[in-house]
Amino acid sequence: MPEQLPRVVIVGGGFGGLAAAKALRRTSAEVILIDRSNHHLFQPLLYQVATSVLTPGQIGSPIRGILGKQKNTTVVLGEVSAVNTEQRCVVASSADRAEVPIAYDYLILATGVRHSYFGHDDFERFAPALKSLADAVAIRNRILQAFEQAEAEEDPSRHRDLLTFILVGAGPTGVELAGALAVLVQTTFRSEFRRIDPLSTRIVLVDMASRVLGSFAEDLSSAAQRRLERLGVEVRLGHAVDQVDEGGVIVAGERIASRTVIWTAGVAPSPAGKWLAVETDRAGRIKVQTDLTVPGHPDIFVVGDTAALQQDGRPLPGVAQVAMQQGRYAGTLIHRRVSGKPALRPFRYFDKGSMAVVGKGFAVLQAGRVRISGFLAWLAWAAVHLEFVGQTNLRVSVLVQWMWSYLTSRRGSRLIVNHHASANRSVEQLAQEENEMLVGLLRLRARR
Ligand SMILES: Cc1cc2nc3c(=O)[nH]c(=O)nc-3n(C[C@H](O)[C@H](O)[C@H](O)COP(=O)(O)OP(=O)(O)OC[C@H]3O[C@@H](n4cnc5c(N)ncnc54)[C@H](O)[C@@H]3O)c2cc1C
């Protein structure tokens, strides 16, 4: 009888899950990685897809391709909906099979986070968030569509809300998106429209916190805010958004009219804590021990954004480096257990620093006592992101694209891709849009 290999099931092929899978490449084990999407996504560059700098294919890679040469690993496209800790299996559904139990000897949960509207789920309809490639393309569509609609709009009083963009949340995503949008408008769009002036675009960044980039040192926050303001971004701090609807937002009692609101605030963990029915922190992340296992479950590890672990009295941040280091640790620990080697020392996060880009050629960088802002920080940001962007072909294409955009101020990926737009609209909406288009065309003909 051939020896039955232990089975390691990894749920999630993001930064944490992928690092765990790679750490298990030489382990005598059957590794199964389950993800509901077929690609690993480099989320830190999502904002560049939303603002037409990069294409979706430049920041996402098929998980099957990344792990293709790893013979002990099988990739499964499926959505996990439960974990049965007594029978030691996860329950996964794919396109053709629902709720299939997949047994495990070791389980690594690396399911990341979803966006949170802080109890205002009704805001989601009007203010999409940025978490997946589909989100980034949808936001890109909305931004580009707003300019097209304004260009077609005869009544100049309606230009104002079409050309007002509101970003809710001044963390790294909000700041990076606001800066990139300002650059897009001031460079690429500047000379391309005839009936509207792209420079009249209003970009408003709102946050209830008292400064932008709250996780950075104060001087870097101030440098980022100054840079944003120089780019023309209106930074409104100290007030939460009270209302988001089709007309825009209400902040501190004032309505700001806008047709494009983007949610760049809070995140909520995946439901993994509920699957295991174990203790979570206030944000819903699973509390793990220093070996990243769940208390009472030595065979279950939780890594990345969905895990809560304190280090030196402070919770570890939800960033890619934490997820990668934890994934690598969990994979290595399982490898050692399977090979009968002694356990590892407790997990310790090595902080290599944080960075955020603000517009073109400017970033803030904080690593230990080093704090810099400006072009040098931007070069460091570019080098680090290229290093982590995945495969060599993507690295080369992203580098070429960045150089091209930097030197020419052109953005190549300005496509409105909305294949299923008509499927999602009601008959009345379509009829109204058709009418509006007809009226527009007749007006143009009448002018001639
Ligand atoms: C817009 C944006 C910008 C960011 N910028 C930065 C940055 O500049 N620097 C930085 O360090 N960090 C940044 N982050 C945070 C960073 O991306 C996360 O900390 C990191 O991705 C966490 O890794 P993870 O493995 O825990 O989760 P993820 O990378 O999110 O991976 C989770 C995976 O699990 C899969 N999954 C989830 N639920 C299920 C399920 N039920 N069944 C099957 N599969 C499932 C998902 O499809 C996904 O592939 C950013 C995040 C966002 C959204």
Side-chain angles (χ1 to χ4, degrees):
M1 281 273 287
E3 193 196 344
Q4 178 98 19
L5 293 176
R7 182 186 278 175
V8 185
V9 172
I10 302 170
V11 186
F15 286 104
L18 211 51
K22 286 179 180 172
L24 286 160
R25 66 188 177 284
R26 295 208 181 86
T27 309
S28 298
E30 180 192 7
V31 179
I32 297 180
L33 188 147
I34 309 169
D35 200 303
R36 63 179 167 211
S37 100
N38 82 329
H39 53 269
H40 168 73
L41 178 61
F42 194 76
Q43 292 173 24
L45 292 178
L46 268 175
Y47 83 95
Q48 297 209 350
V49 173
T51 51
S52 304
V53 180
L54 297 176
T55 62
Q58 285 173 307
I59 65 162
S61 318
I63 300 171
R64 213 171 271 295
I66 299 171
L67 297 175
K69 292 205 174 117
Q70 199 164 306
K71 292 277 184 270
N72 65 351
T73 304
T74 304
V75 177
V76 174
L77 179 66
E79 168 115 25
V80 169
S81 55
V83 176
N84 185 329
T85 52
E86 272 168 27
Q87 290 177 10
R88 301 178 90 199
C89 66
V90 302
V91 179
S93 302
S94 62
D96 62 340
R97 276 184 291 170
E99 311 215 327
V100 180
I102 300 175
Y104 66 81
D105 296 298
Y106 297 97
L107 174 63
I108 301 177
L109 294 174
T111 45
V113 286
R114 298 163 295 141
H115 32 255
S116 159
Y117 287 81
F118 305 121
H120 290 284
D121 289 348
D122 49 315
F123 290 178
E124 187 167 9
R125 258 180 74 207
F126 310 106
L130 186 59
K131 179 69 189 152
S132 65
L133 274 181
D135 295 336
V137 172
I139 289 173
R140 184 180 77 189
N141 283 343
R142 283 178 84 137
I143 293 170
L144 299 176
Q145 193 82 51
F147 282 93
E148 293 301 336
Q149 274 179 308
E151 176 80 348
E153 177 57 58
E154 295 279 331
D155 177 0
S157 69
R158 289 175 68 181
H159 287 169
R160 191 71 186 147
D161 56 344
L162 279 168
L163 295 183
T164 297
F165 297 86
I166 300 173
L167 292 97
V168 185
T173 304
V175 166
E176 294 189 328
L177 199 54
L181 186 54
V183 173
L184 173 70
V185 169
Q186 289 165 16
T187 56
T188 313
F189 281 178
R190 190 178 184 156
S191 60
E192 291 190 350
F193 290 87
R194 299 290 170 264
R195 301 166 76 190
I196 54 165
D197 176 10
L199 295 185
S200 66
T201 300
R202 187 177 175 207
I203 302 167
V204 188
L205 181 65
V206 186
D207 201 306
M208 64 188 294
S210 57
R211 59 192 176 97
V212 305
L213 298 180
S215 57
F216 285 73
E218 274 187 39
D219 54 336
L220 293 181
S221 289
S222 308
Q225 183 169 344
R226 278 197 304 276
R227 184 72 181 184
L228 282 171
E229 286 167 348
R230 211 169 306 144
L231 286 167
V233 176
E234 254 178 78
V235 181
R236 303 183 64 148
L237 301 169
H239 295 287
V241 166
D242 300 320
Q243 178 65 29
V244 183
D245 52 37
E246 66 264 273
V249 302
I250 298 179
V251 189
E254 183 198 341
R255 174 166 282 282
I256 309 175
S258 166
R259 298 278 284 272
T260 315
V261 183
I262 303 168
W263 193 260
T264 51
V267 287
S270 84
K274 293 200 181 105
W275 299 341
L276 298 178
V278 292
E279 196 185 353
T280 57
D281 68 1
R282 274 199 311 172
R285 301 179 307 160
I286 297 172
K287 286 191 178 175
V288 292
Q289 308 182 108
T290 50
D291 64 354
L292 307 183
T293 59
V294 178
H297 299 277
D299 47 355
I300 302 181
F301 297 75
V302 183
V303 302
D305 282 0
T306 209
L309 183 66
Q310 301 251 336
Q311 185 168 297
D312 306 329
R314 298 171 67 186
L316 291 178
V319 293
Q321 273 300 328
V322 171
M324 282 155 78
Q325 291 178 29
Q326 289 188 335
R328 208 172 300 133
Y329 179 95
T332 310
L333 189 54
I334 293 172
H335 174 84
R336 294 179 79 90
R337 282 199 201 165
V338 169
S339 349
K341 292 185 182 159
L344 291 168
R345 280 188 294 181
F347 172 79
R348 197 158 173 88
Y349 170 54
F350 175 59
D351 185 359
K352 295 180 182 167
S354 322
M355 290 179 254
V357 172
V358 197
K360 187 175 170 181
F362 185 99
V364 292
L365 181 159
Q366 177 172 316
R369 289 200 190 140
V370 179
R371 299 206 295 249
I372 52 170
S373 59
F375 187 67
L376 255 186
W378 180 77
L379 281 181
W381 172 91
V384 168
H385 281 69
L386 275 180
E387 161 87 22
F388 286 108
V389 90
Q391 292 142 326
T392 314
N393 60 332
L394 293 187
R395 212 168 286 154
V396 173
S397 102
V398 170
L399 176 64
V400 170
Q401 186 68 57
W402 281 350
M403 283 166 57
W404 174 255
S405 302
Y406 188 84
L407 295 173
T408 65
S409 295
R410 298 267 126 211
R411 303 228 179 147
S413 179
R414 280 175 295 132
L415 309 180
I416 299 173
V417 189
N418 203 359
H419 300 299
H420 303 295
S422 30
N424 295 332
R425 291 198 189 119
S426 66
V427 176
E428 291 79 19
Q429 272 175 310
L430 283 171
Q432 193 189 335
E433 280 168 24
E434 238 168 61
N435 270 341
E436 282 173 7
M437 260 170 61
L438 262 173
V439 172
L441 285 173
L442 288 174
R443 278 191 191 139
L444 278 178
R445 271 182 63 182
R447 274 198 183 172
R448 287 222 234 129

